[in-house]
Amino acid sequence: MEITTKEMEAHSNSISDIKVDASFRKIPKNAICFHVWKIDEDRLEAEPKSQYGIFIDDCAYIIYAASPVGGYVNQHTITREVKSSSSVERFIHFWLGEHVSEQKRSNVAHKIQELDSYFSNTATEYRETQANESPRFLSYFKAGLTIKSGLLLNSPDVNRLYQLYGRHFLRCFEMKSISWEHFGADHIMFLNTAQHFYVWIGRSSSNIERRNAIELANTHRANSEDITIVDDGYEQSMPEKQKREWNSFLPLNQRVVCQSSSMIEKTVCNKMKIYKCCYRNNRLHLDQLDVVIPTKDDLNDSSTVFVLDGIAQGVWLWVGNQAPQQEKTSALGNGRAFVKKKKYPYNTPVIRVTEGHEPMEFMRLFPSWNSESGDSQFSLKPSPTVLGKFDSLTLCQRPKMAADTQLIDDGTGERKIFRIVKDQVIEVTANKTTVFVTTSSYVVQYSVVCNSMNTSDSESVGVKQVIFQWNGVEAPADVTSKAEKFAKNLFENVTQKNMFVQMNEFDETPHFLQLFEGKLIILHNEKKVFLQANNSITNNNNINVLQNMQKTDHFILKIFGDATYNAKAIEVLPLNNLNSKDCYVVQSEHVWVWCGQSSTGDAREMAKKVGSVLGENSLVMENKEPREFWLSVGNLMSQTLIVNGLNNCNSAASNGSASSGLSPQGITNGSLSGIATSSGSMQYLQTTHKSRWQAQLFLVWTQRGKFFSQEIMGYEQSDLSPESVYILDAGILTYVWLGKYATASEKEKYLSLAQHYLETVPMARRPNSAVAIIRQHEEPNIFKGFFDGWNYKHWQNYVNYINKRQIMAAVSADMETPLTNGCNGSNMCFNSKLPPALLNNQKDFDRHQKYPITILQQEIEFLPPEINPLKREVHLTHDDFVSLFHMSFWEFDDLPAWKQQELKKKHKLF
């Protein structure tokens, strides 16, 4: 691909031509701070803090944010200098309004070059466009954004119409005219007149949007008596005085509301294309790399620029630290040229990052960036000694430690284990079961240990029980479905505070493995096994996969992990190689524990623990295997068994049981990359330790059958709204947080929301990653530890949208001018504190799309496809319904069926 300068958004000056603006030179170079400037023609104006979050749609703005590495700042950040040795992340955003001129776009491009050069070209640069701002940009303005119309800035008319939407970050757009054409069912509208303030609630808007809009209205009008709530389709129910004024601006006889408003829908694309920038014949060419899953090693040339094309995630430009200055300053321009060449939408995000200063958003595009770079800043793996120093009480009292280790307690609590096979749920009666079969699913009901009489400690741990569902990789769909139903029933019907964790084989969480103290054995199929306890073989107190058997089957287990919270033993069939970095346990006529030369002491200890479970055993070190070992295990191993040691085992080879050399397949970085199942039809990739990024918070919802998510960066507990559902992605475990006032549908389909997220998340993730379901007020310590200063009383005085409307309706009953439209068009008031719109919502009346009467009275073949001809009346607005039937839908629904049918025939709606 070739890029020409004509396609660039702005031409770059050479570094010698750049003169830094005086406004920029006032910023201390080593300071945590936040600044906003506006480009007004060719001038740069610093915005006052009182105007932060307010933008004009025909202007361009520059936002500079400097934060500690991994930290966040916002519009309320106070500038403070830090030591020169402290690491600071720098971000430069330039925001372009919808109607910004070409001249202002060019000016802002030059100004960010000045600001970037002032900080030695180390900042991450974002190109932001109106209504398509990045999560980081939105995180600066927690109260939302207000976009004013440049056409109305000097207008003498004080009357204004605003359009609002946004579930977490509320966007308030000033409309250039007061007209019904701006109304949509998904939106909330403000009509601000000299005399009054109206809040119009679109029927498809969410409760959290409605609540936030009412809060914002209170900031516009200090006197709440001047505010009237108008529900979509209930405009005729307004008090007469307000209705006359409304009619003067928005005539009700011209009422038109879009059924579904246009929403920005990002293409789901988890694939990333990487191009290397090269100059040939003085022209810029982009050479695409042959990459399936991007790795840090793909960015292997510090003297040039790489383009990463993620479409929905944006176009990223990675600039090597040895790249020429010209390439550093022209990177964003080249990025815009790339967008134009590809014919991507104008609002496609373009971000430039520099080597060594990559932000978290960029590193997340590379699944293995952490492990490649050796950066353990966001590593999840607990310290091997953590359980040696801290017990369950310590984990209860220190949520941050619990979150870091993902351990609720030390795993010594009581548990019940249920095995699901075909149409049966079998409770396993043993106290210490250690054998699972990959063709089954298991449900574990675990009681959390706190060991404290202190109420605050109990509040800190958060839950009394955990319901685990574990699915074997070869468990049939009907078995996993039955296990899910059984586990969900336990979760939803247990009276104690609890959480539900669903996981699959190879994605076990640290706390789940801790329950088994690293001795969990996973077999491919049912085998004759008896287990050792207290140095004696028993058949009653421990699990026998079949029943009491005098003779066991033979198998080989590979040990994964090196501590009680990450270790398990998985059957290998057949065994193609013995890796020097690993340990194995062999069950034959005798139990052998084989340890490779390069295995760690901790891994050997875990192997010995598994061996002790199976019975009396012998420890065998690589290159020191006795003849009896090879003779007793030879029938379990592949004929091409290879010992992959530092020194190949010649003695073993001479016995005819192994051969020297490297295995032609299956070895990757010293571990088995693929292991065949018993059927030989499935392979999997297994990693002992999973690294994770800094936890991410997403607001998630579905609308008209489509899944949406919005990341909330720099999150705090206050970002969790009780009227919504959130996902906290901690890497090894994906939490679904159910707000107390979330919709019934969201509370029922929580696993579906998690699955949608895992399938659409920008980072490369397996869709069967472990998922935890938690409810508001029942958060476990491993979740709360991701939030600084968790406050148990945070939501104590929270008033949700419905309750807020009830309060407003009750207050308006004592006022001459009601705050809400509480009566219907026939002047019949409802005997309830709830406004009629909310009453009807309970019967789903307002959830249906609405159409004019004339459309609904047409012949069947002319009706819109989503209309049920036998239920046309639900597609009327409330006002139209009352005008036809002279009663509310609420009253109509209480009539006998024959009477309803008679009335519908009379009005040609049947």
Side-chain angles (χ1 to χ4, degrees):
M1 178 184 294
E2 182 179 298
I3 300 294
T4 64
T5 54
K6 290 182 180 179
E7 293 167 308
M8 298 182 187
E9 186 163 65
H11 299 282
S12 301
N13 296 320
S14 66
I15 189 65
S16 59
D17 295 329
I18 295 178
K19 296 180 180 179
V20 178
D21 193 286
S23 296
F24 298 151
R25 291 199 298 269
K26 295 177 182 177
I27 305 171
K29 287 196 173 183
N30 286 303
I32 307 302
C33 58
F34 184 83
H35 297 279
V36 180
W37 297 271
K38 181 173 69 175
I39 301 293
D40 192 355
E41 298 306 331
D42 58 348
R43 300 192 311 278
L44 184 72
E45 295 182 358
E47 288 282 276
K49 283 188 175 291
S50 61
Q51 295 298 303
Y52 284 3
I54 300 175
F55 298 89
I56 302 172
D57 66 2
D58 62 357
C59 289
Y61 292 80
I62 294 175
I63 292 88
Y64 171 71
S67 63
V69 173
Y72 297 90
V73 295
N74 58 44
Q75 66 183 91
H76 303 298
T77 297
I78 299 173
T79 300
R80 64 182 187 277
E81 292 196 47
V82 295
K83 294 180 180 178
S84 57
S85 58
S86 300
S87 297
V88 176
E89 281 186 305
R90 309 182 195 280
F91 300 91
I92 299 173
H93 305 254
F94 68 100
W95 184 93
L96 303 174
E98 183 180 6
H99 303 296
V100 69
S101 66
E102 183 68 34
Q103 182 61 48
K104 288 182 181 178
R105 284 207 300 267
S106 178
N107 289 342
V108 75
H110 287 297
K111 284 298 179 183
I112 63 168
Q113 289 177 18
E114 293 180 25
L115 181 57
D116 190 34
S117 67
Y118 178 65
F119 291 110
S120 305
N121 301 107
T122 59
T124 298
E125 296 179 353
Y126 286 78
R127 180 183 185 273
E128 311 277 1
T129 55
Q130 181 177 325
N132 197 46
E133 295 86 359
S134 68
R136 183 173 288 277
F137 182 92
L138 293 173
S139 73
Y140 301 144
F141 309 100
K142 294 262 185 181
L145 304 177
T146 297
I147 313 299
K148 291 190 173 183
S149 171
L151 291 175
L152 301 179
L153 278 181
N154 300 315
S155 172
D157 188 1
V158 296
N159 303 304
R160 294 286 189 272
L161 180 69
Y162 299 88
Q163 184 187 83
L164 295 83
Y165 66 87
R167 293 180 178 238
H168 189 83
F169 300 103
L170 194 65
R171 293 179 172 94
C172 179
F173 297 91
E174 185 178 51
M175 300 290 99
K176 60 184 178 182
S177 62
I178 299 178
S179 169
W180 280 108
E181 68 177 335
H182 302 301
F183 282 67
D186 293 334
H187 295 149
I188 295 166
M189 307 296 294
F190 284 172
L191 176 59
N192 188 6
T193 72
Q195 304 299 322
H196 214 71
F197 196 95
Y198 300 85
V199 181
W200 183 89
I201 306 290
R203 65 180 173 278
S204 299
S205 59
S206 66
N207 279 351
I208 185 59
E209 286 174 303
R210 299 170 182 182
R211 183 183 186 277
N212 290 341
I214 291 175
E215 295 287 340
L216 183 60
N218 287 326
T219 65
H220 278 258
R221 283 289 173 101
N223 185 1
S224 60
E225 295 180 11
D226 291 341
I227 300 174
T228 294
I229 310 297
V230 184
D231 292 297
D232 181 4
Y234 294 78
E235 291 84 4
Q236 296 286 357
S237 302
M238 277 188 281
E240 202 58 39
K241 180 181 176 182
Q242 278 79 7
K243 187 162 65 173
R244 282 197 305 270
E245 185 181 33
W246 179 279
N247 255 314
S248 67
F249 292 100
L250 296 160
L252 291 175
N253 59 3
Q254 298 175 17
R255 181 188 186 278
V256 177
V257 174
C258 298
Q259 302 301 317
S260 57
S261 310
S262 59
M263 296 183 64
I264 297 173
E265 296 184 12
K266 293 186 177 181
T267 306
V268 175
C269 180
N270 294 341
K271 295 182 179 179
M272 183 73 63
K273 295 178 181 178
I274 302 182
Y275 301 84
K276 184 177 181 179
C277 295
C278 303
Y279 283 91
R280 292 192 288 273
N281 299 323
N282 294 322
R283 299 183 75 87
L284 176 61
H285 292 262
L286 301 183
D287 298 334
Q288 184 174 348
L289 305 185
D290 185 14
V291 172
V292 178
I293 298 177
T295 68
K296 188 181 180 185
D297 290 339
D298 294 320
L299 310 176
N300 57 6
D301 188 350
S302 294
S303 65
T304 189
V305 176
F306 289 85
V307 177
L308 284 76
D309 182 8
I311 308 177
Q313 288 74 52
V315 171
W316 297 78
L317 296 107
W318 181 89
V319 181
N321 54 25
Q322 296 176 21
Q325 184 64 38
Q326 180 69 16
E327 292 194 21
K328 293 181 180 180
T329 56
S330 64
L332 270 183
N334 289 337
R336 276 297 298 155
F338 179 87
V339 169
K340 293 177 183 178
K341 194 81 172 180
K342 286 282 194 176
K343 297 182 179 179
Y344 291 161
Y346 168 80
N347 57 18
T348 300
V350 179
I351 310 102
R352 187 213 71 176
V353 302
T354 57
E355 183 179 4
H357 301 276
E358 297 90 348
M360 187 53 59
E361 303 96 296
F362 181 82
M363 290 191 286
R364 286 185 184 128
L365 301 174
F366 299 80
S368 55
W369 185 287
N370 256 7
S371 57
E372 292 171 5
S373 65
D375 181 5
S376 60
Q377 181 181 359
F378 302 112
S379 172
L380 179 65
K381 182 178 180 290
S383 165
T385 59
V386 67
L387 291 176
K389 293 182 179 179
F390 307 115
D391 56 14
S392 291
L393 178 58
T394 306
L395 292 167
C396 291
Q397 294 173 336
R398 299 175 64 179
K400 268 200 174 302
M401 179 188 296
D404 288 342
T405 61
Q406 284 297 283
L407 296 171
I408 297 177
D409 63 7
D410 60 9
T412 59
E414 294 183 4
R415 62 188 177 179
K416 291 182 180 179
I417 300 179
F418 303 89
R419 184 183 178 193
I420 290 80
V421 287
K422 295 182 180 178
D423 58 346
Q424 290 183 300
V425 176
I426 305 168
E427 182 174 355
V428 180
T429 57
N431 292 325
K432 288 291 179 184
T433 301
T434 56
V435 177
F436 281 6
V437 180
T438 192
T439 55
S440 299
S441 291
Y442 294 81
V443 174
V444 180
Q445 187 175 10
Y446 176 74
S447 298
V448 176
V449 175
C450 183
N451 295 330
S452 174
M453 300 299 291
N454 193 322
T455 305
S456 63
D457 292 337
S458 179
E459 285 180 342
S460 177
V461 74
V463 291
K464 298 288 187 183
Q465 283 195 348
V466 184
I467 310 299
F468 293 100
Q469 178 195 347
W470 182 93
N471 298 321
V473 73
E474 294 186 55
D478 59 336
V479 170
T480 59
S481 178
K482 187 175 183 65
E484 180 179 302
K485 184 177 181 181
F486 179 72
K488 286 175 66 176
N489 185 60
L490 284 176
F491 171 61
E492 292 165 4
N493 293 294
V494 170
T495 55
Q496 291 181 314
K497 292 182 177 182
N498 66 349
M499 65 182 288
F500 172 33
V501 179
Q502 186 182 67
M503 73 191 80
N504 294 280
E505 187 177 349
F506 316 126
D507 282 286
E508 295 88 356
T509 64
H511 187 231
F512 180 76
L513 293 175
Q514 180 61 30
L515 304 189
F516 304 97
E517 299 175 342
K519 303 172 188 175
L520 178 63
I521 297 173
I522 301 172
L523 301 177
H524 283 310
N525 47 43
E526 292 186 296
K527 288 182 172 61
K528 303 169 187 176
V529 178
F530 56 77
L531 308 176
Q532 180 85 357
N534 298 324
N535 296 322
S536 63
I537 298 176
T538 66
N539 287 323
N540 297 320
N541 293 330
N542 289 275
I543 279 301
N544 237 314
V545 174
L546 292 179
Q547 290 292 327
N548 300 340
M549 295 289 179
Q550 295 300 317
K551 185 177 181 181
T552 65
D553 282 330
H554 297 179
F555 51 86
I556 298 179
L557 303 171
K558 180 181 176 182
I559 306 302
F560 289 90
D562 55 9
T564 54
Y565 47 75
N566 64 23
K568 57 198 167 189
I570 300 178
E571 182 182 3
V572 183
L573 181 68
L575 182 65
N576 295 320
N577 53 61
L578 289 170
N579 194 306
S580 291
K581 293 184 177 181
D582 295 323
C583 298
Y584 299 84
V585 175
V586 181
Q587 169 74 71
S588 58
E589 289 82 2
H590 184 68
V591 178
W592 302 90
V593 178
W594 184 93
C595 298
Q597 286 181 332
S598 301
S599 61
T600 66
D602 289 335
R604 295 174 190 178
E605 288 302 313
M606 298 314 302
K608 288 191 283 186
K609 284 188 176 184
V610 173
S612 67
V613 168
L614 295 176
E616 185 177 346
N617 61 84
S618 299
L619 179 65
V620 177
M621 298 301 296
E622 183 181 359
N623 289 338
K624 296 181 181 179
E625 301 90 345
R627 180 180 177 84
E628 292 78 13
F629 171 78
W630 296 115
L631 290 175
S632 63
V633 304
N635 64 326
L636 296 173
M637 298 179 176
S638 167
Q639 293 300 310
T640 58
L641 175 69
I642 293 169
V643 181
N644 181 27
L646 298 176
N647 298 307
N648 291 319
C649 183
N650 295 323
S651 61
S654 65
N655 291 330
S657 300
S659 60
S660 302
L662 294 176
S663 173
Q665 59 184 2
I667 298 293
T668 302
N669 295 330
S671 64
L672 293 178
S673 64
I675 301 176
T677 63
S678 58
S679 63
S681 61
M682 186 181 300
Q683 290 190 329
Y684 57 84
L685 182 69
Q686 171 65 23
T687 55
T688 303
H689 302 307
K690 301 181 181 69
S691 61
R692 71 162 174 86
W693 301 114
Q694 188 180 45
Q696 293 174 270
L697 183 68
F698 294 84
L699 171 65
V700 296
W701 72 95
T702 56
Q703 193 163 357
R704 289 186 285 277
K706 294 187 178 182
F707 173 80
F708 295 91
S709 66
Q710 182 175 37
E711 183 178 3
I712 302 163
M713 300 189 73
Y715 62 83
E716 301 169 323
Q717 184 185 356
S718 58
D719 289 307
L720 298 173
S721 166
E723 295 177 79
S724 301
V725 174
Y726 295 82
I727 282 181
L728 182 76
D729 189 345
I732 201 168
L733 190 57
T734 300
Y735 295 91
V736 181
W737 184 88
L738 304 175
K740 181 179 179 179
Y741 302 111
T743 66
S745 173
E746 290 172 330
K747 288 182 178 179
E748 291 171 2
K749 298 179 180 178
Y750 45 76
L751 288 176
S752 175
L753 287 171
Q755 194 61 34
H756 278 302
Y757 166 78
L758 290 171
E759 290 172 354
T760 59
V761 65
M763 302 81 70
R765 290 288 298 279
R766 284 168 43 171
N768 58 352
S769 297
V771 173
I773 312 300
I774 57 177
R775 304 183 186 95
Q776 183 183 350
H777 301 306
E778 297 182 16
E779 298 87 358
N781 50 359
I782 55 175
F783 176 85
K784 289 183 288 195
F786 289 110
F787 296 81
D788 290 331
W790 185 274
N791 181 1
Y792 306 105
K793 299 180 180 179
H794 177 71
W795 295 293
Q796 193 171 29
N797 299 317
Y798 185 87
V799 180
N800 68 351
Y801 170 70
I802 292 178
N803 289 338
K804 188 177 283 289
R805 287 294 300 272
Q806 282 181 299
I807 293 169
M808 295 177 73
V811 171
S812 68
D814 299 326
M815 296 169 55
E816 184 178 347
T817 304
L819 297 173
T820 182
N821 44 327
C823 299
N824 63 30
S826 58
N827 294 322
M828 292 181 294
C829 291
F830 290 88
N831 295 319
S832 172
K833 289 183 179 179
L834 277 176
L838 298 183
L839 285 173
N840 286 334
N841 243 323
Q842 294 174 359
K843 292 209 170 193
D844 287 338
F845 174 70
D846 284 319
R847 300 188 192 280
H848 295 278
Q849 293 194 17
K850 304 300 180 181
Y851 293 92
I853 296 174
T854 53
I855 290 180
L856 297 173
Q857 289 177 334
Q858 296 179 112
E859 296 297 327
I860 291 178
E861 59 267 26
F862 299 115
L863 290 175
E866 65 272 12
I867 292 179
N868 180 349
L870 300 179
K871 296 290 290 182
R872 305 183 195 206
E873 70 278 5
V874 300
H875 296 284
L876 289 165
T877 66
H878 167 78
D879 290 342
D880 286 343
F881 196 101
V882 171
S883 70
L884 278 182
F885 294 98
H886 302 289
M887 66 180 72
S888 70
F889 174 79
W890 184 272
E891 295 166 310
F892 175 86
D893 201 52
D894 287 335
L895 294 176
W898 67 268
K899 183 65 174 176
Q900 291 183 16
Q901 188 170 322
E902 188 178 273
L903 288 171
K904 288 195 289 183
K905 286 181 178 179
K906 176 182 177 182
H907 299 293
K908 301 178 182 180
L909 292 174
F910 188 79

